Amino acid sequence: MWIIAGLVLGGWLGLGIDGWDGVIGGALAGTILGVIIQIVRSRRGARKEDLERLEARVAVLEQAVAQLKGGVAPAVSVAASAESMARVEAVEPFHATEAPDPDLGNAPVPEPEPAHVRELPDFTPAPDEPRPPGTLEQAYMRVRAWLLGGNTVVRVGLLVLFFGLAFLARYAVEHSLVPIEFRLAGIVAGGVALLAVGWRLRHSRSGYALSMQGGGVAVLYLTIFATMRIYQLIPPGFGFALLLAVVAFSAVLALLQNAQALAVIGIAGGFMAPILASTGQGSHVMLFSYYLLLNAGLLAMAWKKAWRVLNLTGFLFTFSIALAWGARDYRPELFASTEPFLVAFVLMYIAAAVLYAWRSAPSLKHYVDGTLVFGTPVVGFGLQAALVRDMPYGLAWSALALGGLYLLLARWLHGCARPTLRLLVESFLALGVAFATLTIPLALDGQWTAAAWAMEGAALLWVGVRQSRKLAMFSGLALQLAAGLFFIDGGGLSVHGRVWPLFNSQMLGALLVALAGFASSRIAERGRDHWPRLLKVASPALLLWATLWWLAGGMNELDAWLSNRQLVAAALALFAFSGALATEVARRLDWRAMHWPALLALPGMALSLLMTLLHGTHPLAGWGVVAWPLALASALFALRQGERAPMPLKGLDHVHTALLWLTAIALAWGIGHVVDGLIPGASWANGAVLMVAVLVLAGLRRLAARDVWPVGPWRQAYVKAGGGGVVIVALLWALAVSLASGGDVSPLPYLPLLNPLDLAMVLVLLASVRWCQSLVDGASAWRDGVLKVLALLGFVLANGALLRADHHLAGVAWDGSAMFNSGVVQASLSLFWGLLGLALTFVASRGQRRTLWMLGAVLLGVVVAKLFIVELASTGTVARIVSFIGAGVVLLVVGYFSPLPPAKEQKA
């Protein structure tokens, strides 16, 4: 009925305002309003019917109990009780979702058949209720109930009556049968008749009566509008007074009959009255004063009745009309006469949300109106932004005031000690914190839109998780992404335009986006059961998102105020501080996932080394000598707390290994540069780098032997994997230096093997051997292979030391061609290889090591072949004779003192 009435009345109203062009728009608006009223009426009727059925059941049971207490056989038998209850249930199943029949009224409970069976009613528990239907299914059932349920004759009759009155009015106008005053008076009389009939039948036929009264109110609205605007028979002021009277009259009818639909019609007409009566010359003060009184009446009804649709109707009309007026007529000079009304409207609808929750909380279902709770500050703050856009810090003060108001409300409601209002208290607390947080970036003229979206997205995700609303959860996540994109698009990551360090819009805006992301990640992790498929992925993704925003904001702030050389240490300090802060948060909140951002010191170390390489400095330059110890302490603190967590993280052994490598690289690099700056000779710096590796290996071995944390518990990570990496890098560095450096040790004179470079290489080889020997017994085959590789590298490094001695003592140029053509170099190499081969064959012969003996023999063969090739190419007869005699003597000595061991080796 309400849908058809809205369609007809809306089309009629559109015809009066804009002619035939306005019929479609008016009909559409009326149909939407009719749907809203119909839904409200259906819910009210369903609740009423449920209560009637419960009262009927209680009455039957009370009658049986009373008769049992009196010692009389109950007049209600099991069969009679079941039949009586079945008759009541036949009206509509309990908890049914279809709309009730409006014409049933207060149906009397049928009298049970007398019986004399001394039995109690069967209290067999009802089966579990089926799953509630979805939104589309509910809409379909309501439309079906409206079309096929209830008194269809009444609805069709009202529809036909409206069309008949419309055709009658049109016919009278076309033929001028009756003066316009009498025609309008007749329509008014018809509306009054509908109201009278509806009021008279309000007890016996409640649904029928409300339909008649709603039609009567609609007829009065329409007639007054036509009299005032179309035919201009009454002045606008008088017409406005009549419309206001109809509003008050419909509100009284609604309260007396507990009819929410009538209240919605009345309040909607009240909001439309000044628009219908407007001539375009009125004052906005008068308009908003009238709306203030109208909202005061709505608030009074909210004090008595928890009618959510009525509150939403007033909210939509108030702020929609205010927005339309502001977009068309507002000017800055009207601020003083406009601001009080905006503040009053916001306060009223905050109060409406509180009253609704206060009266609806006992139901424990949907007692927080999310539209009013979150819509009021969003819409009000948006309108306030338009009012104060030309005022310095106007929006900041507005955010501070609104945040303080919500915090005070949360404190007051919490003090009322009503557990049912907990969700409302938490909602107000979240809004208060959000708007109070917005004060800082707003005051500093920052990227407040992105920050507001981020905080609002976090709040929306929280509400969605609390109420298990997937749309709210998805919207909160989407709002987080939109906030970040808007922040970047608005130049939030630019290094320009910053007035104060740290306290500027770019820095604080990025900080708010990051904090919103952290909060959202925590909310998603704790509420993942409400939507596992989305929130299980969203929680780590939001944590990564927030961490990146945190670091991006900090790095951009450092880049804006520091030079490139200062930026290296400052960036490492930022990562170290962030990791320590994350560790403390993870520990206090028992947040397992936060232990990963707690390890930010490690990527900070890697980034610092890369920046150091690009800027041509070294890790310990400037404040690096302070930043690197802080980063090391932060990483160790994070690892220690990660191990102590109830569910320790996986893969921490790799983190320990990476920490050792990064620290060793930074220490060797820094000390090498420092030594190079103090002593001019390159060998000193290279030797210092190798000595760092030696000290690291020795320290690892000592800490592992004493079982000191972290090396003792993580021996495999530090000694085997970490120490192996240090050994490889140190040997490669020694090999590169041996081939590329001439071994300058100025200002000291060069002494073979007793110079810093040769000594460092010897110590590196010894430390590598000790590291290899410290491996577990299960890796003996692998250890033997490593020892052979170390022997080969030692042979290469020994040749390098020999070449450096020839360079310094014999004056051979440090050049590949000069070295190859030098007789001194060739002779020294032949002598060294020959002695080494002789020593190997001697040791192998004594130890029965056939493989080692073959290696020594091959080395001697190479020496002999080298002598033949070199001396045959020379022209000196004496040299040729000496070379051949020498080679022969060497072979004879080997054959006598170091014979070839048997094929099967027997190791000593």
Side-chain angles (χ1 to χ4, degrees):
M1 178 63 207
W2 293 107
I3 299 177
I4 297 179
L7 174 67
V8 175
L9 293 178
W12 197 351
L13 183 61
L15 178 63
I17 295 177
D18 197 20
W20 291 103
D21 295 337
V23 172
I24 297 178
L28 180 60
T31 303
I32 294 174
L33 183 60
V35 170
I36 296 175
I37 297 173
Q38 179 68 25
I39 293 174
V40 172
R41 188 188 65 80
S42 299
R43 291 181 178 176
R44 181 198 63 78
R47 288 195 295 269
K48 184 176 179 180
E49 293 296 333
D50 292 345
L51 182 59
E52 290 174 355
R53 284 192 294 275
L54 286 175
E55 290 176 348
R57 288 185 176 185
V58 172
V60 173
L61 295 177
E62 285 180 348
Q63 182 181 0
V65 173
Q67 292 177 358
L68 286 175
K69 288 184 178 179
V72 182
V76 183
S77 66
V78 175
S81 300
E83 181 182 358
S84 175
M85 293 182 186
R87 290 177 182 175
V88 177
E89 290 290 342
V91 176
E92 184 179 347
F94 191 54
H95 292 302
T97 55
E98 295 185 2
D101 188 341
D103 297 328
L104 287 177
N106 297 323
V109 181
E111 293 292 334
E113 297 292 335
H116 300 284
V117 182
R118 195 176 184 81
E119 296 180 8
L120 290 176
D122 186 13
F123 293 102
T124 303
D128 295 338
E129 296 184 3
R131 181 183 61 85
T135 304
L136 295 178
E137 187 178 354
Q138 289 181 5
Y140 166 75
M141 296 172 67
R142 285 170 181 161
V143 173
R144 179 178 177 274
W146 187 87
L147 290 174
L148 304 177
N151 197 331
T152 308
V153 177
V154 175
R155 299 172 182 175
V156 175
L158 283 174
L159 179 61
V160 172
L161 176 62
F162 269 105
F163 277 106
L165 290 175
F167 288 135
L168 176 61
R170 181 176 180 182
Y171 180 82
V173 170
E174 291 177 352
H175 296 82
S176 301
L177 298 179
V178 182
I180 186 62
E181 293 84 356
F182 291 98
R183 283 178 266 159
L184 293 174
I187 297 176
V188 170
V192 173
L194 290 176
L195 286 171
V197 173
W199 177 258
R200 187 175 183 84
L201 299 177
R202 67 187 185 278
H203 294 302
S204 59
R205 304 287 296 275
S206 60
Y208 182 88
L210 289 178
S211 300
M212 300 293 287
Q213 293 176 55
V217 172
V219 168
L220 291 179
Y221 275 133
L222 183 62
T223 306
I224 294 172
F225 167 74
T227 304
M228 176 180 57
R229 291 294 299 274
I230 299 177
Y231 303 109
Q232 300 179 355
L233 297 177
I234 59 176
F238 183 64
F240 176 74
L242 290 177
L243 290 173
L244 186 59
V246 175
V247 171
F249 179 65
S250 61
V252 171
L253 288 179
L255 290 175
L256 290 177
Q257 302 175 81
N258 194 26
Q260 186 175 181
L262 276 180
V264 172
I265 293 176
I267 204 69
F271 278 103
M272 293 299 296
I275 299 176
L276 298 176
S278 174
T279 60
Q281 304 297 324
S283 168
H284 70 283
V285 176
M286 296 298 297
L287 175 67
F288 291 140
S289 298
Y290 166 73
Y291 283 154
L292 197 63
L293 294 176
L294 195 62
N295 280 299
L298 188 148
L299 197 61
M301 284 192 285
W303 177 260
K304 296 294 184 181
K305 302 291 182 181
W307 288 343
R308 180 174 183 265
V309 177
L310 183 65
N311 296 335
L312 293 180
T313 303
F315 174 80
L316 293 175
F317 271 110
T318 298
F319 288 104
S320 297
I321 294 173
L323 179 62
W325 174 85
R328 189 184 67 175
D329 298 326
Y330 177 73
R331 301 182 304 276
E333 55 267 22
L334 300 179
F335 175 79
S337 59
T338 306
E339 177 71 8
F341 291 107
L342 177 59
V343 173
F345 291 148
V346 171
L347 292 177
M348 282 184 168
Y349 282 99
I350 292 176
V354 174
L355 290 176
Y356 178 80
W358 193 281
R359 298 192 63 85
S360 302
S363 67
L364 298 178
K365 183 178 181 181
H366 305 307
Y367 63 89
V368 172
D369 189 345
T371 304
L372 288 184
V373 170
F374 292 98
T376 299
V378 171
V379 175
F381 195 69
L383 293 174
Q384 180 71 5
L387 295 182
V388 301
R389 63 178 180 269
D390 297 325
M391 299 181 183
Y393 305 107
L395 204 57
W397 287 111
S398 301
L400 181 62
L402 190 59
L405 173 64
Y406 276 111
L407 291 176
L408 291 176
L409 281 174
R411 179 65 183 88
W412 175 69
L413 291 173
H414 180 72
C416 293
R418 291 191 63 175
T420 53
L421 296 179
R422 179 180 177 183
L423 182 57
L424 183 65
V425 172
E426 294 176 351
S427 301
F428 280 178
L429 181 62
L431 287 170
V433 172
F435 280 102
T437 306
L438 282 177
T439 303
I440 297 177
L442 291 176
L444 298 173
D445 190 22
Q447 308 294 326
W448 66 270
T449 302
W453 287 0
M455 301 298 289
E456 199 72 23
L460 197 59
L461 177 63
W462 173 76
V463 171
V465 170
R466 287 297 302 267
Q467 298 183 356
S468 296
R469 296 173 182 255
K470 292 185 177 181
L471 180 60
M473 288 185 274
F474 181 79
S475 300
L477 297 176
L479 205 55
Q480 296 280 312
L481 179 61
L485 297 178
F486 186 85
F487 191 90
I488 296 173
D489 184 66
L493 297 180
S494 174
V495 297
H496 304 292
R498 304 177 189 236
V499 180
W500 295 97
L502 298 181
F503 298 98
N504 55 75
S505 59
Q506 292 92 335
M507 174 62 187
L508 295 176
L511 178 63
L512 290 179
V513 175
L515 292 178
F518 284 123
S520 300
S521 176
R522 181 63 168 172
I523 293 169
E525 181 185 30
R526 295 174 67 88
R528 66 175 56 185
D529 294 337
H530 296 276
W531 196 356
R533 182 174 298 180
L534 176 66
L535 297 184
K536 187 176 181 180
V537 178
S539 178
L542 282 170
L543 186 60
L544 177 61
W545 166 270
T547 304
L548 293 177
W549 273 103
W550 174 280
L551 297 176
M555 289 297 294
N556 273 274
E557 187 69 13
L558 295 177
D559 191 26
W561 300 100
L562 301 178
S563 64
N564 289 338
R565 291 184 177 272
Q566 295 172 331
L567 184 61
V568 176
L572 181 58
L574 170 66
F575 277 77
F577 169 76
S578 302
L581 183 61
T583 303
E584 189 64 20
V585 171
R587 184 181 68 85
R588 289 182 178 273
L589 299 182
D590 192 19
W591 190 354
R592 183 175 183 269
M594 183 58 79
H595 283 291
W596 287 115
L599 299 171
L600 278 175
L602 274 81
M605 291 177 177
L607 178 63
S608 178
L609 292 175
L610 179 60
M611 295 173 66
T612 300
L613 180 64
L614 295 176
H615 295 155
T617 179
H618 64 90
L620 301 182
W623 289 99
V625 70
V626 177
W628 273 95
L630 291 177
L632 180 60
S634 174
L636 292 175
F637 177 55
L639 288 170
R640 190 64 165 175
Q641 295 301 323
E643 296 173 12
R644 293 176 176 176
M647 295 180 62
L649 300 178
K650 297 180 180 179
L652 286 182
D653 51 343
H654 303 298
V655 178
H656 282 279
T657 302
L659 176 62
L660 173 64
W661 289 348
L662 291 171
T663 305
I665 291 173
L667 188 62
W669 191 351
I671 290 179
H673 270 269
V674 171
V675 172
D676 187 50
L678 296 176
I679 306 175
S683 296
W684 296 96
N686 294 326
V689 171
L690 295 176
M691 286 303 300
V692 170
V694 172
L695 293 176
V696 168
L697 292 173
L700 290 176
R701 190 172 62 254
R702 189 175 185 86
L703 293 175
R706 296 187 177 184
D707 199 24
V708 177
W709 188 89
V711 180
W714 298 91
R715 180 183 178 89
Q716 293 295 320
Y718 281 96
V719 176
K720 184 175 181 180
V726 173
V727 167
I728 292 173
V729 174
L731 291 175
L732 291 177
W733 179 260
L735 184 62
V737 170
S738 181
L739 296 177
S741 175
D744 182 18
V745 295
S746 58
L748 298 179
Y750 183 86
L751 296 176
L753 298 179
L754 298 179
N755 58 82
L757 185 59
D758 291 345
L759 290 175
M761 290 183 179
V762 171
L763 292 176
V764 164
L765 285 173
L766 293 177
S768 300
V769 172
R770 291 293 303 273
W771 166 80
C772 187
Q773 292 175 345
S774 66
L775 298 180
V776 294
D777 294 337
S780 57
W782 182 81
R783 183 173 61 242
D784 292 341
V786 173
L787 288 175
K788 294 176 180 179
V789 173
L790 291 177
L792 178 61
L793 289 175
F795 174 71
V796 175
L797 295 178
N799 282 276
L802 181 60
L803 293 178
R804 285 191 296 275
D806 291 338
H807 168 64
H808 286 279
L809 300 180
V812 180
W814 188 257
D815 178 76
S817 177
M819 289 284 181
F820 183 79
N821 295 321
S822 172
V824 175
V825 171
Q826 295 299 330
S828 60
L829 288 176
S830 299
L831 181 60
F832 172 65
W833 292 359
L835 292 176
L836 180 60
L838 183 61
L840 289 177
T841 54
F842 182 79
V843 172
S845 179
R846 295 297 182 268
Q848 299 297 309
R849 297 176 182 270
R850 184 179 181 87
T851 303
L852 185 61
W853 190 94
M854 294 296 294
L855 181 62
V858 169
L859 192 59
L860 289 174
V862 171
V863 172
V864 172
K866 177 179 174 298
L867 288 175
F868 270 92
I869 294 172
V870 174
E871 297 304 333
L872 285 175
S874 64
T875 57
T877 305
V878 177
R880 185 180 304 157
I881 294 173
V882 171
S883 299
F884 279 97
I885 293 175
V889 171
V890 169
L891 293 176
L892 290 175
V893 171
V894 170
Y896 180 79
F897 291 101
S898 304
L900 178 65
K904 184 178 179 180
E905 297 185 1
Q906 298 178 358
K907 300 181 180 180

